[in-house]
């Protein structure tokens, strides 16, 4: 990212933020062909047009709340693009991919008790892919910024490695494990917080 100009970074930040907001707002359910034709007012729609119109109908619309969220996401992506350490960008790929995977497949399993919302039809797979990419981008920059700030505060690197022991077979070990489990469940808890998405 260090070789790109500031204008290109901003344009990429806007595109990524828009894609992430689509990933946050898209609904996984697929509309029937009759519902799509009634909404579009077109008979005999081509399969590509049905897929695009299905994605358009699954978005909850862009109200003021979504526009503010998109603007905040632009700032988050812009801040993440200021991080120039390639190692941080590389190690953030795996947690972001796992968070996005569990979010997409977990939503499908939560709503239908199966992975049908991901694998039933080609439109399901495209919508799940759009949601996965949007959530991956969002979790990716969150991981990059989080790791960067943890490193800046010297929470990830210490000079006295031999003195710090995380697991000592006492209450401290229990709290460390509890904190790690809580950290992994945090994206799910935030996404399903009552009133956050209503």
């Amino acid at each position: 990212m260090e070789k790109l100009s500031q204008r290109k970074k901003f344009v990429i930040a806007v595109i990524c933020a828009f894609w992430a907001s689509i990933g946050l707002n898209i609904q996984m359910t697929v509309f029937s062909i009759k519902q799509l034709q009634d909404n579009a007012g077109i008979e005999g729609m081509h399969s590509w047009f049905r897929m695009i119109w299905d994605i358009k109908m699954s978005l909850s619309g862009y109200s003021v709340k979504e526009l503010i969220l998109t603007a905040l996401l632009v700032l988050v992506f812009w801040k993440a693009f200021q991080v120039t350490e390639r190692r941080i960008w590389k190690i953030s790929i795996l947690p972001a991919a796992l968070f996005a995977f569990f979010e997409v497949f977990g939503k499908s399993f939560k709503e239908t008790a199966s992975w049908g919302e991901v694998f039933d039809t080609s439109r399901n797979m495209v919508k799940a892919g759009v949601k996965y990419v949007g959530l991956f981008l969002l979790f990716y920059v969150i991981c990059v910024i989080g790791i960067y700030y943890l490193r800046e505060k010297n929470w990830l690197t210490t000079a006295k490695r031999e003195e710090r022991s995380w697991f000592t077979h006492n209450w401290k070990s229990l709290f460390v494990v509890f904190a790690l489990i809580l950290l992994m469940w945090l994206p799910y808890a935030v996404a399903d917080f009552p009133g956050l998405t209503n």
Side-chain angles (χ1 to χ4, degrees), residues 122-135:
S122 61
R123 281 189 285 157
N124 283 100
M125 288 193 281
V126 169
K127 288 171 78 172
V130 168
K131 187 171 188 73
Y132 177 82
V133 170
L135 291 174

Side-chain angles (χ1 to χ4, degrees), residues 6 16-17 21 24 36-37 48 63 81 84 109 118 121 148 150:
Q6 295 296 326
C16 290
S21 68
L24 285 172
L36 293 173
Q37 288 176 349
W48 285 99
S63 64
F81 290 156
T84 57
F109 198 78
V118 178
T121 63
Y148 177 73
L150 286 175

Side-chain angles (χ1 to χ4, degrees), residues 23-37:
L24 285 172
N25 291 320
I26 195 168
Q27 302 299 319
M28 298 285 286
T29 55
V30 173
F31 295 97
S32 68
I33 295 175
K34 181 166 180 7
Q35 288 174 321
L36 293 173
Q37 288 176 349

Side-chain angles (χ1 to χ4, degrees), residues 2-15:
E2 63 269 2
K3 295 181 181 176
L4 294 176
S5 68
Q6 295 296 326
R7 177 177 283 171
K8 288 182 182 177
K9 286 182 183 179
F10 183 74
V11 169
I12 293 171
V14 169
I15 292 170

